[in-house]
């Protein structure tokens, strides 16, 4: 069996060695962080240090970092924690935002997949005229295309209209600098497993003055903002992964060079290839490849048979692929024919070569089948 070429970092990145080691060490701490004895204090120390590390990494305040079970819960808390607000979100958010507030009004994007700031301003004006309190939620980088959103401009506009803001930075963290102060947002969601930490832990950081109604009620953990004993082991792994962010950001130009070479070679091989969001500012690691006549699901399965792990659009938990709302909103003609390739800092040139070879064979077979069908 050949080694898998893993090109699905936007779904989840492999656990990093420092995260693994930090988690192994945390496993030996028996205490509950809320207990007053020595073992409890040892667990509390792990959580408090991690809180400081995560706050530092995103320009937040440790007093206002709330640990959650991941990006999804952080988004749910942000979107439902403010009372009596009208919610405006971009039309290309992750389901963890869209499904958290099905009543939200959607801000459109342009053909590059970038937020339409003019439309946002019209919506803010309408809400102001109607006397509504508003929360605007826009992701920093899209999970399917990697397209980076004008979050600071969004937040400036929102401020003019007295609206609060939230940013889902789950895909951006570790790939572009993420700083709450520069982004000017009131809340920001992050998740450990996209940056080499464990799955099932994340955080919501909030700005001074943001008062949230807890969505998970229980003990007084997380300053009464999120009940439940903290996931000490996961949090230890999260902090260790966050400590690698600066190093990883330094590797991004190399990742971009590999991704760009791959896209150039594929485009030369297949003139019909469409790359979603290519002309916009994108994450260095993400490529959304559309082969108009080949369903994304078929592409993913073909690739898997050849030992290449990639995604099509956003996979939901059933493992089925649904047609991408992101690509539909961008007006892409064949939104069901997308393959998302997402590289990591460890992705090698050899792996990219293998991907190009397998992809080119898949595309060649599809073209031959199409010719045979047309001739028949
Ligand atoms: N937001 C974005 C943009 C994501 O890509 C993801 C995961 O794919 C999430 C939120 C959900 O994060 P988690 O898997 O930690 O719940």
């Amino acid at each position: 069996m050949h080694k898998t070429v893993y090109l699905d970092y936007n779904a989840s990145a492999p656990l990093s060695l420092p995260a693994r080691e930090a988690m192994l060490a945390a496993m030996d701490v028996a205490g509950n962080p809320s207990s007053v004895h020595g073992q409890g204090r040892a667990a509390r120390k792990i959580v408090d240090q991690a809180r400081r590390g995560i706050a530092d990494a995103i320009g937040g305040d440790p007093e206002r970092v709330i640990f959650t079970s991941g990006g999804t819960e952080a988004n749910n808390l942000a979107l439902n924690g403010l009372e009596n607000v009208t919610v405006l979100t971009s039309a290309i958010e992750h389901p963890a935002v869209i499904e958290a507030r099905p009543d939200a009004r959607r801000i459109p994007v342009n053909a590059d997949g970038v937020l339409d700031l003019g439309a946002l301003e019209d919506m803010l004006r309408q809400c102001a005229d109607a006397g509504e309190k508003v929360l605007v939620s826009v992701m920093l980088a899209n999970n399917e295309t990697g397209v980076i959103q004008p979050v600071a401009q969004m937040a400036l506009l929102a401020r003019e209209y007295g609206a609060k803001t939230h940013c889902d930075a789950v895909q951006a963290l570790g790939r572009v600098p993420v700083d709450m102060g520069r982004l000017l947002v009131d809340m920001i969601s992050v998740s450990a497993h996209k940056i080499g930490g464990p799955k099932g832990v994340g955080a919501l950081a909030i700005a001074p003055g943001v008062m949230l109604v807890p969505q998970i009620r229980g003990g007084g953990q997380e300053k009464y903002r999120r009940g439940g004993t903290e996931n000490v082991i996961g949090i230890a792994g999260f902090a260790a992964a966050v400590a690698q962010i600066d190093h990883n950001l330094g590797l991004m130009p190399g990742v971009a060079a590999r991704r760009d070479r791959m896209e150039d070679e594929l485009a030369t091989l297949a003139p019909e290839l469409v790359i979603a969001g290519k002309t916009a500012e994108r994450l260095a690691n993400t490529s959304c490849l559309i082969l108009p006549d080949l369903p994304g699901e078929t592409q993913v399965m073909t690739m898997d048979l050849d030992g290449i792990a990639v995604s099509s659009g956003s996979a939901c938990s059933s493992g089925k692929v649904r047609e991408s709302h992101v690509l539909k909103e961008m007006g892409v003609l064949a939104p069901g024919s997308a393959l998302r390739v997402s590289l990591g800092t460890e992705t090698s040139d050899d792996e990219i070569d293998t991907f190009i070879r397998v992809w080119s064979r898949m595309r060649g077979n599809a073209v031959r089948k199409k010719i045979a069908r047309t001739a028949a």
Side-chain angles (χ1 to χ4, degrees), residues 136-155:
V136 187
S137 176
V138 175
M139 66 200 333
L140 185 49
N142 183 265
N143 45 302
E144 295 183 35
T145 60
V147 171
I148 294 172
Q149 301 301 319
V151 170
Q153 286 104 303
M154 170 282 278

Side-chain angles (χ1 to χ4, degrees), residues 64-365:
R64 298 190 182 82
V65 169
I66 307 160
F67 284 116
T68 65
S69 64
T72 300
E73 189 195 320
N75 286 346
N76 272 266
L77 177 56
L79 286 153
N80 291 300
L82 296 178
E83 284 181 311
N84 302 322
V85 284
T86 296
V87 179
L88 310 180
T89 74
S90 89
I92 54 158
E93 294 299 310
H94 188 274
V97 164
I98 293 185
E99 300 297 332
R101 283 302 291 258
D103 61 327
R105 298 182 204 156
R106 308 268 171 251
I107 316 156
V109 296
N110 66 18
D112 277 337
V114 179
L115 187 79
D116 181 340
L117 288 165
L120 168 61
E121 182 152 24
D122 290 344
M123 293 165 85
L124 285 166
R125 203 177 295 119
Q126 278 167 18
C127 292
D129 290 347
E132 293 168 19
K133 282 202 295 176
V134 175
L135 168 68
V136 187
S137 176
V138 175
M139 66 200 333
L140 185 49
N142 183 265
N143 45 302
E144 295 183 35
T145 60
V147 171
I148 294 172
Q149 301 301 319
V151 170
Q153 286 104 303
M154 170 282 278
L156 268 177
L157 255 182
R159 272 188 189 184
E160 271 180 40
Y161 287 86
K164 292 264 183 264
T165 51
H166 165 251
C167 174
D168 175 347
V170 166
Q171 287 294 344
L173 188 68
R175 297 180 183 141
V176 288
V178 173
D179 184 304
M180 270 187 97
R182 278 169 199 252
L183 293 171
L184 306 169
V185 290
D186 294 304
M187 298 184 269
I188 194 159
S189 301
V190 288
S191 176
H193 74 107
K194 311 288 182 181
I195 59 164
K199 298 165 194 33
V201 58
L204 180 71
I206 59 177
V210 175
M211 304 291 288
L212 292 175
V213 178
Q215 303 300 299
I216 296 183
R217 291 163 196 267
Q221 292 92 349
E222 302 299 284
K223 296 193 191 305
Y224 291 92
R225 293 182 286 219
R226 196 268 188 191
T229 303
E230 295 86 345
N231 172 2
V232 178
I233 297 165
I235 288 170
F238 189 9
V242 160
Q244 300 293 303
I245 284 180
D246 281 347
H247 173 74
N248 287 344
L249 285 177
L251 300 174
M252 283 303 136
V255 174
R258 254 165 237 127
R259 190 270 316 265
D260 291 347
R261 174 175 75 84
M262 172 192 82
E263 289 185 348
D264 289 348
E265 291 191 25
L266 298 184
T268 310
L269 286 164
E272 77 279 20
L273 173 67
V274 175
I275 301 173
K278 185 166 167 61
T279 45
E281 195 190 346
R282 278 183 301 166
L283 294 178
N285 78 317
T286 309
S287 186
C288 182
L289 306 168
I290 299 158
L291 266 182
D293 285 325
L294 204 52
E297 205 162 349
T298 311
Q299 296 188 45
V300 171
M301 288 188 302
T302 310
M303 287 278 157
D304 186 41
L305 288 174
D306 275 313
I308 296 189
V310 281
S311 281
S312 177
S314 43
C316 48
S317 55
S318 63
K320 286 204 188 100
V321 177
R322 54 181 167 207
E323 205 165 76
S324 160
H325 68 288
V326 174
L327 300 179
K328 273 197 210 158
E329 291 291 338
M330 291 167 68
V332 166
L333 283 179
S337 297
L339 194 68
R340 180 186 68 184
V341 181
S342 48
L343 286 64
T345 49
E346 302 93 34
T347 303
S348 66
D349 282 319
D350 279 355
E351 289 179 313
I352 292 298
D353 288 340
T354 307
F355 173 80
I356 294 172
R357 208 173 44 248
V358 172
W359 187 90
S360 145
R361 191 165 60 220
M362 171 186 78
R363 182 252 171 195
N365 287 340

